[in-house]
Structure formats: structure tokens, C-alpha cells
Amino acid sequence: MTTLLTYAAEHVEQIHLSVAAVNERAVGFYRRLAFETFGTAPRVLKVNGVYVDELLMVKFLR
């Protein structure tokens, strides 16, 4: 991922991603890479009959 971010920094100003709010490991991983949450999309996923929110995240490269 760090290689991808290094490459991206030469070509784009920011990277957006979304991740299931309940996926704490992934959310922590992205936060350690300096991604910030800028919004929440409610009830985007339905897993085993349970709705799951999605976090919208961004990392500014410049």
C-alpha cells in the first residue's frame, strides 16, 4: 500500500475510499496511513440481514 501511495502522490492530489464501519481492522489500517473519515453512508451493505454503514475516507497527498 505504501508503494501505491508513493506512486499516487506523483499523479493525484487525493485518494478516496470506502470501508465497512464494522471492519475495525481495515479502518485502523487506513487511519494509520493518514486517511481521514469525511462522511458516513448509512445502511449501504446488508450482511446476514443486518445493515452496515460505510465510512467514506480521504487522504490528501498535496
Side-chain angles (χ1 to χ4, degrees):
M1 186 66 150
T2 55
T3 301
L4 172 67
L5 292 173
T6 300
Y7 177 81
E10 298 173 12
H11 302 283
V12 298
E13 293 185 14
Q14 56 188 293
I15 298 175
H16 290 248
L17 62 84
S18 61
V19 61
V22 296
N23 190 341
E24 295 175 11
R25 285 186 71 188
V27 172
F29 174 73
Y30 293 128
R31 286 197 174 131
R32 284 190 300 278
L33 291 172
F35 281 84
E36 302 172 29
T37 300
F38 69 90
T40 302
R43 297 173 50 130
V44 171
L45 305 169
K46 190 173 185 181
V47 180
N48 297 323
V50 177
Y51 287 101
V52 176
D53 294 347
E54 198 168 61
L55 298 180
L56 308 174
M57 301 183 85
V58 63
K59 178 180 175 77
F60 295 102
L61 302 172
R62 297 184 208 171

